[in-house]
Amino acid sequence: MIEKVKKTIEKFKLLNKGEKVLLGVSGGADSIALTHVMHRLKGEYDISLHIAHLNHMLRGEEAERDAQFVSAFAEKMGIDCTVGYADVALLAEREKLSLEEAARKARYEFLTGTAEKIGASKIAVGHHADDRAETLLLHLLRGTGPEGLEGIRPKYKNIIRPLIKVTREEIEIYCSEHNLSFVWDSTNEEVIFTRNKIRHQLLPMLKDYNPNIIEALNRTAEILLFENEYMDVETRKVFKEAVISEKDGQKLKLRLEKFLPLHTALQRRLIRYCYTLITGIEEGLEYKHVERVREFIFEGSTGKKIDLPGGAAAYKTYGSVVFFKENFDLNREGVKYHRKIAVPGTTVIPEAGAVIKTEILSAEEVGNEYFFFTSRKGIYGL
Amino acid sequence: MIEKVKKTIEKFKLLNKGEKVLLGVSGGADSIALTHVMHRLKGEYDISLHIAHLNHMLRGEEAERDAQFVSAFAEKMGIDCTVGYADVALLAEREKLSLEEAARKARYEFLTGTAEKIGASKIAVGHHADDRAETLLLHLLRGTGPEGLEGIRPKYKNIIRPLIKVTREEIEIYCSEHNLSFVWDSTNEEVIFTRNKIRHQLLPMLKDYNPNIIEALNRTAEILLFENEYMDVETRKVFKEAVISEKDGQKLKLRLEKFLPLHTALQRRLIRYCYTLITGIEEGLEYKHVERVREFIFEGSTGKKIDLPGGAAAYKTYGSVVFFKENFDLNREGVKYHRKIAVPGTTVIPEAGAVIKTEILSAEEVGNEYFFFTSRKGIYGL
């Protein structure tokens, strides 16, 4: 397994010399194996490590047990560790997200915040080949385009996935060979989320069609990753030629004389790229919306406007289509407020639409380090 | 449904005025509906029609019944009809193909041959949205790249699929609304081929994840179709710059100074394109072979050679890699022979590696038209 990880690190240039790497560790087999492997490779790649664990506060005592487990593991490995807390259930309710989405959001905000705090330039997470196959299927079932089919990228911004080529089976074998114990996430076993259903129902069934289904899906993801990368490069090229940015990028003016001759594939990519730039929504626009924009471009008359999801819109002027974000409230971004926080207790901050709950825990309960984390959008208590 | 078909015909420019269109009709709901719709659109698109039906000789009397049914239907509609026979089981055995592959091969050779004979410029087949979704899944399960995920093209060479946006359900509704009867292919009901397993097991299960799974998969296929088309255009562009054709295209010399700076996605596409040109194998090279060629290009030393599937190979010279087909026997192509064919009886033609079996049937047994069909590779009896 370590050879596969090294190959992945080199192929996708995941590490630079002297870097500090934050390891996202849930305590499951994958992140425990990741930590162990990265620790072994520390000298070879001249990196330093730090562990981060987020308690999602979803599973009470079990979650506490996991946090304790990760702290103890970190100490045994001689790696510094930060433990954080996020009330995922509350976050899900407030932002109308599924528990899984809320957990992911909280986790990534926590990891990014911690990395910044400790000065880590990379965040390594334990996603592996099975995860990638599951993600591909998840997106396929929703009717995604090529971006969804690349599954999970080996590298995205400063997040790296050294285990992306390794299967769950290989990870479990690695753990047993190195006597690594790990915790078992009970939510994983229940078929409550689509992803878990894919893992426990669909993928085992697909093995009947192809015993090497994980490898097959990962191969597809890998091919599409590079094709997407190429299309991204092309899209940025035509963006430079066809789009004029106005008002600090808050308005994007698409010049039709440059747009119309483009291949349909590039037109679609360019519309989605403009949309992402305007809204900050990385997942981009759904196919039906992209096609609606294209129809609008081809058939809409000057002066007309169409609404797009996420508060974006586009209107037509002579020779161009302008994308912008509606109701973009500059003031809101700049709101400043001070509030005394009750410890222990509940503090409501209406300006941020947030509720902060606090309680006092002993150092043993919390683990290696006390971590307080908040964000304008999320609600993170202690 | 007729509106969807018209939209498809226009979007993908499937028909030109005055064309003669050969309809591939199995007698199932899809091809019967196709014929009925095309007949209704005949005037509007100024086309003439001809029906072709191939008896696969796989299901004895039932196959005869289907041929009779199609002949009678053609007569009722007032459309000329050609019925052909192919011993698919024998073909499968001889060419080491699955029955499904052999049937497809025989069908396409029959349709192409008939179209040529009657002077049809297009061949319309009844593939629909469910077929496309199934094909996407079939390829995905094998670990395909983006070409496989586009499923079935609305148009490929002179083959067109006017029903590609229509679901099986819509076709069945159309048939019942227009009192169209059709035959039921019994092999369809048995879960013997992977495709049938996908149809009867996997897709119904996937509806549990997404009730609109057919539409979702077709959306993905549609997006990838255009992305593939764009990549094809780009590949042909770099082909012109990077490849020198020698000996009438029997050798393709890839210039490394042009190849090496290309994006990985284009390098892969270009290798597959060269391979297809050399071998004539449209499905192209598997991922692992493409990667082996790339490794060879980057690391192989001058004078070395690697073998590729289908009798192709590549060797390295100073500054380039040359693709060619090994054991390409020019004489074999030119072999000429005469042989008396025993009717009824069996005739072996060793020069062609073929066996021709013949029997005498009454005109009623054969249908509208007697059709004799042979090919160097396949074995088609009467």
Side-chain angles (χ1 to χ4, degrees):
Chain A
M1 192 179 94
I2 201 159
E3 285 311 311
K4 259 198 188 175
V5 174
K6 280 167 70 174
K7 232 174 148 179
T8 304
I9 290 172
E10 274 143 37
K11 185 171 178 188
F12 298 102
K13 300 183 181 67
L14 301 187
L15 296 172
N16 298 315
K17 271 199 169 183
E19 270 190 314
K20 188 165 192 173
V21 179
L22 182 69
L23 302 163
V25 178
S26 68
D30 40 7
S31 56
I32 292 294
L34 171 71
T35 307
H36 194 265
V37 169
M38 293 298 277
H39 189 67
R40 282 172 70 191
L41 296 174
K42 229 176 101 170
E44 191 166 341
Y45 289 106
D46 188 19
I47 50 169
S48 63
L49 303 172
H50 188 105
I51 286 174
H53 173 81
L54 184 68
N55 184 331
H56 293 60
M57 298 168 72
L58 281 175
R59 290 167 295 115
E61 291 207 355
E62 201 183 305
E64 264 317 314
R65 177 207 69 180
D66 294 356
Q68 300 280 1
F69 176 84
V70 172
S71 298
F73 173 69
E75 212 177 309
K76 200 176 130 202
M77 299 285 291
I79 304 173
D80 287 337
C81 178
T82 299
V83 174
Y85 290 79
D87 191 335
V88 168
L90 200 64
L91 177 68
E93 204 190 314
R94 250 204 88 243
E95 300 211 7
K96 292 178 186 59
L97 297 170
S98 71
L99 277 182
E100 196 187 15
E101 285 166 340
R104 190 176 54 215
K105 193 180 155 89
R107 204 158 50 237
Y108 278 89
E109 284 186 15
F110 165 67
L111 289 173
T112 313
T114 308
E116 211 173 297
K117 203 173 137 201
I118 64 156
S121 45
K122 292 276 166 63
I123 298 168
V125 289
H127 289 127
H128 47 71
D130 288 54
D131 289 325
R132 197 178 196 186
E134 286 160 22
T135 304
L136 185 157
L137 287 173
L138 196 66
H139 289 150
L140 183 78
L141 292 169
R142 289 183 191 149
T144 183
E147 295 94 330
L149 296 178
E150 69 182 38
I152 303 173
R153 293 201 173 192
K155 186 178 174 181
Y156 182 69
K157 294 182 179 167
N158 64 338
I159 294 165
I160 59 171
R161 283 135 176 147
L163 301 189
I164 201 70
K165 297 277 189 190
V166 181
T167 63
R168 181 174 289 126
E169 209 185 331
E170 289 175 305
I171 288 171
E172 281 167 8
I173 291 169
Y174 183 89
C175 284
S176 99
E177 278 176 359
H178 292 84
N179 285 315
L180 296 173
S181 52
F182 48 86
V183 293
W184 205 264
D185 182 348
S186 68
T187 58
N188 249 356
E189 283 306 287
E190 297 161 30
V191 183
I192 44 167
F193 301 133
T194 308
R195 178 180 287 277
N196 277 334
K197 218 165 129 189
I198 289 174
R199 181 174 306 166
H200 297 292
Q201 278 183 1
L202 184 56
L203 272 170
M205 200 195 128
L206 294 182
K207 279 200 178 132
D208 191 29
Y209 290 82
N210 180 353
N212 300 314
I213 185 71
I214 298 294
E215 288 78 5
L217 293 175
N218 274 274
R219 196 156 61 235
T220 298
E222 192 67 16
I223 297 171
L224 284 164
L225 169 69
F226 283 92
E227 300 245 327
N228 284 331
E229 220 182 70
Y230 180 74
M231 289 303 289
D232 283 349
V233 172
E234 293 289 293
T235 306
R236 279 170 178 72
K237 255 192 236 165
V238 296
F239 177 83
K240 273 190 191 162
E241 283 182 22
V243 180
I244 299 160
S245 169
E246 289 177 356
K247 289 199 180 180
D248 274 345
Q250 282 175 50
K251 278 189 175 187
L252 293 178
K253 196 172 173 179
L254 183 59
R255 292 162 61 204
L256 296 185
E257 50 155 348
K258 297 286 181 183
F259 179 83
L260 298 177
L262 295 175
H263 189 279
T264 305
L266 265 185
Q267 290 183 344
R268 288 176 176 162
R269 291 254 181 185
L270 188 54
I271 289 168
R272 299 187 71 212
Y273 187 54
C274 288
Y275 177 80
T276 299
L277 288 178
I278 285 294
T279 60
I281 299 171
E282 297 255 6
E283 294 76 28
L285 216 49
E286 277 178 55
Y287 177 69
K288 63 175 178 200
H289 295 128
V290 173
E291 288 308 276
R292 189 135 61 80
V293 173
R294 286 183 61 230
E295 241 168 66
F296 176 69
I297 288 175
F298 287 111
E299 290 157 27
S301 45
T302 304
K304 274 211 171 167
K305 201 195 89 172
I306 49 162
D307 294 321
L308 296 170
Y315 64 84
K316 219 168 170 177
T317 64
Y318 184 73
S320 66
V321 162
V322 181
F323 295 93
F324 66 106
K325 197 162 175 202
E326 280 193 310
N327 311 320
F328 183 74
D329 187 353
L330 260 178
N331 293 326
R332 184 167 167 76
E333 289 296 300
V335 168
K336 288 269 180 290
Y337 46 82
H338 297 272
R339 198 68 42 131
K340 225 186 231 173
I341 292 183
V343 180
T346 301
T347 312
V348 181
I349 308 181
E351 295 93 328
V355 181
I356 294 182
K357 287 188 196 173
T358 59
E359 53 176 308
I360 294 172
L361 303 169
S362 69
E364 289 79 52
E365 279 177 291
V366 177
N368 280 20
E369 194 179 334
Y370 173 95
F371 189 81
F372 184 83
F373 190 72
T374 183
S375 109
R376 201 176 63 79
K377 282 185 183 168
I379 311 151
Y380 300 91
L382 150 71
Chain B
M1 191 179 94
I2 200 158
E3 285 311 311
K4 259 197 189 175
V5 173
K6 280 169 71 174
K7 231 175 147 178
T8 304
I9 290 173
E10 273 144 38
K11 184 170 180 189
F12 298 103
K13 301 182 180 66
L14 301 188
L15 295 172
N16 298 315
K17 272 198 168 183
E19 270 189 314
K20 187 164 192 176
V21 179
L22 182 69
L23 302 163
V25 177
S26 68
D30 41 5
S31 56
I32 291 295
L34 171 71
T35 307
H36 194 266
V37 169
M38 294 298 278
H39 188 68
R40 284 173 68 193
L41 296 174
K42 230 176 98 169
E44 191 166 342
Y45 291 106
D46 188 20
I47 50 171
S48 63
L49 302 173
H50 188 104
I51 286 175
H53 173 82
L54 184 67
N55 184 330
H56 294 59
M57 297 168 74
L58 281 175
R59 291 168 294 116
E61 292 207 353
E62 201 184 306
E64 264 318 314
R65 176 207 69 182
D66 294 356
Q68 301 280 4
F69 176 84
V70 172
S71 299
F73 173 69
E75 212 176 310
K76 202 177 129 200
M77 299 287 290
I79 305 174
D80 287 337
C81 177
T82 299
V83 174
Y85 291 80
D87 191 336
V88 168
L90 201 63
L91 177 68
E93 204 190 315
R94 251 204 87 243
E95 299 213 6
K96 292 178 185 61
L97 297 171
S98 72
L99 277 182
E100 197 188 14
E101 285 165 341
R104 191 176 53 214
K105 193 180 155 86
R107 203 158 50 235
Y108 279 87
E109 284 184 15
F110 166 66
L111 289 173
T112 312
T114 309
E116 211 173 297
K117 204 173 137 200
I118 63 157
S121 46
K122 292 276 166 66
I123 298 168
V125 290
H127 289 127
H128 47 71
D130 289 53
D131 288 325
R132 195 178 198 187
E134 286 160 21
T135 304
L136 186 157
L137 287 173
L138 196 66
H139 288 150
L140 183 77
L141 292 169
R142 289 183 189 148
T144 183
E147 294 95 331
L149 296 177
E150 70 182 38
I152 302 172
R153 293 200 173 193
K155 185 179 175 182
Y156 181 69
K157 293 182 179 167
N158 63 338
I159 294 164
I160 60 172
R161 286 144 176 138
L163 301 188
I164 200 70
K165 298 275 190 192
V166 181
T167 63
R168 180 175 290 124
E169 210 185 332
E170 289 174 305
I171 288 171
E172 283 166 7
I173 292 169
Y174 183 89
C175 285
S176 100
E177 278 175 0
H178 292 83
N179 285 316
L180 296 172
S181 54
F182 48 87
V183 294
W184 205 264
D185 182 349
S186 67
T187 59
N188 248 356
E189 282 307 286
E190 296 161 30
V191 184
I192 45 165
F193 301 133
T194 307
R195 178 180 289 275
N196 277 333
K197 217 165 130 189
I198 289 174
R199 181 174 307 165
H200 298 292
Q201 278 184 0
L202 185 55
L203 271 170
M205 198 194 131
L206 294 183
K207 280 200 177 133
D208 190 30
Y209 290 83
N210 180 352
N212 299 314
I213 185 72
I214 298 294
E215 287 80 2
L217 293 176
N218 274 275
R219 196 155 62 235
T220 298
E222 193 66 17
I223 297 172
L224 284 165
L225 170 68
F226 284 92
E227 299 246 328
N228 284 332
E229 219 181 71
Y230 179 74
M231 289 301 290
D232 283 349
V233 172
E234 293 288 294
T235 305
R236 279 170 176 70
K237 255 192 237 165
V238 297
F239 177 83
K240 273 190 192 161
E241 284 184 21
V243 179
I244 299 160
S245 171
E246 290 177 356
K247 289 196 181 183
D248 274 343
Q250 282 175 49
K251 276 189 177 187
L252 293 178
K253 195 172 172 179
L254 184 59
R255 291 161 62 204
L256 297 186
E257 52 156 347
K258 297 284 181 185
F259 179 83
L260 298 177
L262 296 176
H263 190 279
T264 305
L266 267 185
Q267 289 183 346
R268 288 177 177 162
R269 291 255 180 184
L270 188 54
I271 289 168
R272 298 188 70 212
Y273 187 55
C274 288
Y275 177 81
T276 300
L277 288 178
I278 285 295
T279 60
I281 300 171
E282 297 256 6
E283 295 75 28
L285 215 49
E286 277 179 53
Y287 178 69
K288 64 176 177 198
H289 295 127
V290 174
E291 288 307 275
R292 190 136 61 80
V293 173
R294 286 183 63 232
E295 239 167 66
F296 176 70
I297 289 175
F298 287 113
E299 289 158 27
S301 44
T302 305
K304 274 209 171 168
K305 202 196 88 174
I306 48 163
D307 293 322
L308 295 170
Y315 63 83
K316 218 170 173 177
T317 64
Y318 183 75
S320 67
V321 162
V322 181
F323 294 92
F324 67 106
K325 196 161 176 208
E326 280 193 309
N327 311 320
F328 184 72
D329 187 353
L330 261 178
N331 292 327
R332 186 169 167 76
E333 289 297 298
V335 167
K336 288 266 179 290
Y337 46 81
H338 299 272
R339 197 69 44 129
K340 227 185 232 171
I341 292 183
V343 180
T346 301
T347 311
V348 180
I349 309 182
E351 295 92 329
V355 180
I356 293 182
K357 289 188 195 173
T358 59
E359 53 178 307
I360 295 171
L361 302 169
S362 68
E364 289 78 50
E365 279 177 292
V366 175
N368 278 21
E369 192 179 337
Y370 174 95
F371 190 82
F372 184 83
F373 190 72
T374 183
S375 109
R376 202 179 63 79
K377 280 185 182 167
I379 310 152
Y380 302 90
L382 149 71

